[in-house]
Amino acid sequence: MSTYTTDKASPFTRAVISSMRKLYPEALADRSFDNTGLLLEAPFDPIRRQMNSVLLTIDLTKAVADEAIERKDCVVVAYHPIIFRGLKSLTLADSQQQSLLRLALEGISVYSPHTAVDAAPGGLADWLADIVTGHLPSPEPSAHTAQQEKAEEAIPENEEVKSKPEGDSPAEQPVEEKKKPKRPRPSMQRTYSRPTYPSHHPVDASKTDLNPSSVDHTRSVINPVTGVEGFEGAGMGRLITFSESQPLTHLVERIAHGVGSPKGFPLAIPQGKQVEDIQIHSVGVSAGSGHSVLKGVDADLLFTGELSHHEALAATEKGQCVITLFHSNSERGYLSSVLKDKLTGVLKEEWEKIRSKVGEEDLSPEWEDAVKDDDVLVECSQSDRDPFGVVILESSKQEGKPLR
């Protein structure tokens, strides 16, 4: 292992940070609680340098850290900050701190844009608004499902497993020791699906007929952010008003298709109403935990990642409908649908600028080798997912009552 140390981040890391700040200035973030920006700056070891690659993720979990280390990425762009509050120590006993320490050891930096992405024009809030206002004449549902494990044959409680003779005479076969039978797992006499999660690639223009933002509407910012040059129209949340009211069932189809076709998601409607009869004229949109943005918004439908029980109940009591997706499912699709291509384009330009500038300096051979590398790669994590999946009771008559 190299013993080379430096007090600087890699040139490519600097290009990634510069690119993210161009796309989503940290001044757009909600500083009242958020912690955006460069959270982990790993020293550059030119002798054991990483690839010129970026891994995009919503949450920086141990699985995502493993993925970044295996891929030899240079930077992890984690939408949610892995550090929210001040730290008094960094130890391996804490799983999140363990991930940070492991990444630092490998020379991988971590950047978090969070609410700057929410607020930016063309950012996360506008992406969700584009889905709600899209047109989907013939939805094609699909889902990303956890891998099925190979089913094991259940062995009766008292049955022994014996070897089967292969010769003509059982006497010619050696006597084998009886194997201990495997006991079947307890069963509730129900068939449940394995947890399912939205696809990592929600909107592929070549595979979907969802035409984003094609239904006539007006759109406004709920909580404007001002004073950031070049980002006029920024702010948290979007309020959509349709020119003509839309059936709630159509919005459900658009949302399901646009965020990766999950097997299902929560829908709350006022008591005494039926889903098929509800018309929506206005929608309040906010990614993640939307209450702070959507509270007080006068809209027929609130569309967000999550609301608490009491927040959703208060909305339906006022006659509003609520769609939630589980927190990060309202955010993850943006990475592959929008951010990946946006960052790739800007990063290529920034990397060329830094290569030209650094190349004019008197560099060691190791640094020269790093600067000569013109590769740029941005990918989305395949390990990243919401903690919650949807488990469906199959092969059984419906129990309970439909939403009315």
Side-chain angles (χ1 to χ4, degrees), residues 12-28:
F12 188 77
T13 298
R14 284 180 270 163
V16 174
I17 295 168
S18 175
S19 299
M20 287 301 297
R21 287 172 174 164
K22 278 191 171 185
L23 290 169
Y24 311 102
E26 292 161 24
L28 295 177

Side-chain angles (χ1 to χ4, degrees), residues 28-297:
L28 295 177
D30 186 348
R31 290 294 188 178
S32 67
F33 77 96
D34 207 359
N35 185 34
T36 56
L38 181 62
L39 303 188
L40 176 65
E41 186 175 22
F44 176 50
D45 182 350
I47 300 175
R48 193 191 61 165
R49 67 182 182 88
Q50 304 303 105
M51 304 290 290
N52 284 356
S53 59
V54 182
L55 187 65
L56 305 179
T57 184
I58 294 295
D59 294 302
L60 179 47
T61 60
K62 288 193 290 184
V64 173
D66 289 342
E67 185 180 2
I69 291 170
E70 182 178 355
R71 287 167 41 89
K72 297 186 181 298
D73 290 308
C74 184
V75 181
V76 174
V77 173
Y79 169 79
H80 286 146
I82 193 171
I83 302 173
F84 255 117
R85 301 171 185 85
L87 299 175
K88 292 187 176 181
S89 63
L90 281 169
T91 71
L92 297 174
D94 182 282
S95 61
Q96 291 185 320
Q97 294 173 15
Q98 183 185 112
S99 293
L100 288 172
L101 290 168
R102 291 176 61 221
L103 291 172
L105 180 65
E106 297 292 335
I108 303 173
S109 297
V110 177
Y111 185 90
S112 172
H114 202 202
T115 53
V117 177
D118 296 358
L124 192 43
D126 278 319
W127 176 70
L128 291 172
D130 288 345
I131 289 172
V132 172
T133 58
H135 183 55
L136 187 62
S138 55
E140 300 173 358
S142 61
H144 164 66
T145 307
Q147 291 292 323
Q148 298 284 344
E149 294 178 2
K150 187 176 181 180
E152 294 182 357
E153 292 184 6
I155 300 174
E157 188 69 24
N158 297 317
E159 184 176 328
E160 295 177 343
V161 178
K162 300 179 181 180
S163 61
K164 183 180 179 181
E166 296 180 357
D168 295 332
S169 171
E172 296 176 1
Q173 302 298 323
V175 178
E176 293 187 13
E177 187 177 347
K178 295 179 181 179
K179 297 180 181 178
K180 191 175 181 180
K182 293 181 179 179
R183 301 301 180 192
R185 294 178 179 176
S187 171
M188 294 187 295
Q189 305 304 317
R190 288 283 192 269
T191 302
Y192 290 87
S193 71
R194 294 192 178 278
T196 63
Y197 308 90
S199 166
H200 285 92
H201 308 285
V203 178
D204 183 337
S206 65
K207 297 179 181 178
T208 180
D209 50 4
L210 176 65
N211 185 8
S213 193
S214 58
V215 175
D216 193 28
H217 70 283
T218 59
R219 186 182 306 187
S220 60
V221 176
I222 296 175
N223 295 331
V225 174
T226 59
V228 183
E229 186 177 353
F231 287 83
E232 293 74 19
M236 306 298 173
R238 300 292 185 268
L239 178 60
I240 298 161
T241 304
F242 292 108
S243 298
E244 297 182 4
S245 295
Q246 304 287 302
L248 176 58
T249 53
H250 287 193
L251 300 189
V252 169
E253 290 179 351
R254 295 171 195 170
I255 290 169
H257 209 71
V259 301
S261 299
K263 284 287 189 179
F265 47 76
L267 168 63
I269 62 174
Q271 291 193 25
K273 293 192 175 183
Q274 297 187 33
V275 176
E276 294 80 5
D277 298 333
I278 296 176
Q279 295 287 318
I280 301 297
H281 184 61
S282 55
V283 184
V285 173
S286 178
S289 183
H291 177 66
S292 62
V293 174
L294 298 177
K295 61 183 178 182
V297 171

Side-chain angles (χ1 to χ4, degrees), residues 369-383:
D369 184 55
V371 172
K372 286 179 181 178
D373 187 352
D374 62 356
D375 287 343
V376 171
L377 181 65
V378 179
E379 294 290 351
C380 296
S381 169
Q382 296 301 304
S383 304

